Amino acid sequence: KGIPVGLAENCENLENLKLPESITEIERNAISGCKSLTEVTVPEKVNQISSSAFLNCTGLTRVQLSGTLEALDYEVFSGCTSLEEIQLPEGLKTISSSVFENCQKLETIGIPDTVTSIFAAAFSGCSSLREIVIPEGVTSLSNNFNGCTELAQVTVKGSATKLSDPLFQNCPKLATICGPSGSYAEEY
């Protein structure tokens, strides 16, 4: 039970979308390119959102995600240039590559402590992102924040998190990286 591949792909005039409560999956490119869509609430039973599901929904400003969601696949919200607000649910474990890439209006994002993996370019091009807190369970970061031109503070909760260059390329306002004593963040 899901929203099939490409169901509403490039429906540029689609403004409102009410997803059925019974669905458990939103498949790849299901709603991508819907430039007039402004808000989405993902039903509680959805546990998987496949790659590029909301890719280039440039009018999307707000997303409410399901509490059962465990992973955000590749490029799910990439190119959602108007996205300002998204609530990531407790229980989320994986933020795949390029999930929020070029979400230019996203200023803050709360990453739940259940997240253990954040893949490359997850937040690249989020030019309004000002600060971020990386959960303790995330073990490594690399090339995640390229072009986050407003990023000023990063807090890394875990002492085992490894930070690899080019992590903060083109982040001219980055002034503070906080982490536990003896952590990679402290050494970075």
Side-chain angles (χ1 to χ4, degrees), residues 100-104 121 123-128 144-148:
F100 298 105
E101 187 173 30
N102 295 320
C103 290
Q104 297 167 350
F123 300 99
S124 289
C126 292
S127 54
S128 296
N144 294 96
F145 304 100
N146 183 19
C148 293

Side-chain angles (χ1 to χ4, degrees), residues 18-156:
K18 178 153 176 48
L19 298 172
E21 291 296 322
S22 60
I23 65 169
T24 58
E25 179 181 2
I26 300 172
E27 294 193 29
R28 70 181 155 76
N29 292 96
I31 305 163
S32 64
C34 295
K35 296 178 180 187
S36 299
L37 187 63
T38 59
E39 290 189 18
V40 170
T41 298
V42 175
E44 191 63 34
K45 292 180 182 176
V46 172
N47 56 27
Q48 181 177 343
I49 301 178
S50 296
S51 63
S52 308
F54 297 95
L55 176 73
N56 294 327
C57 289
T58 56
L60 194 60
T61 59
R62 182 180 177 278
V63 176
Q64 180 66 44
L65 294 174
S66 155
T68 59
L69 189 63
E70 291 188 5
L72 289 172
D73 208 351
Y74 181 76
E75 288 186 333
V76 168
F77 298 106
S78 182
C80 293
T81 55
S82 299
L83 185 62
E84 297 172 356
E85 182 181 342
I86 188 163
Q87 186 64 38
L88 299 181
E90 282 297 323
L92 184 69
K93 295 177 182 167
T94 303
I95 299 173
S96 296
S97 297
S98 305
V99 167
F100 298 105
E101 187 173 30
N102 295 320
C103 290
Q104 297 167 350
K105 290 193 178 179
L106 190 62
E107 290 184 18
T108 61
I109 187 164
I111 301 175
D113 287 336
T114 53
V115 170
T116 56
S117 299
I118 301 174
F119 289 93
F123 300 99
S124 289
C126 292
S127 54
S128 296
L129 188 64
R130 298 181 189 284
E131 63 180 278
I132 195 157
V133 177
I134 306 299
E136 188 171 350
V138 176
T139 55
S140 67
L141 293 171
S142 178
N143 196 29
N144 294 96
F145 304 100
N146 183 19
C148 293
T149 55
E150 294 296 315
L151 188 63
Q153 180 171 328
V154 176
T155 301
V156 181

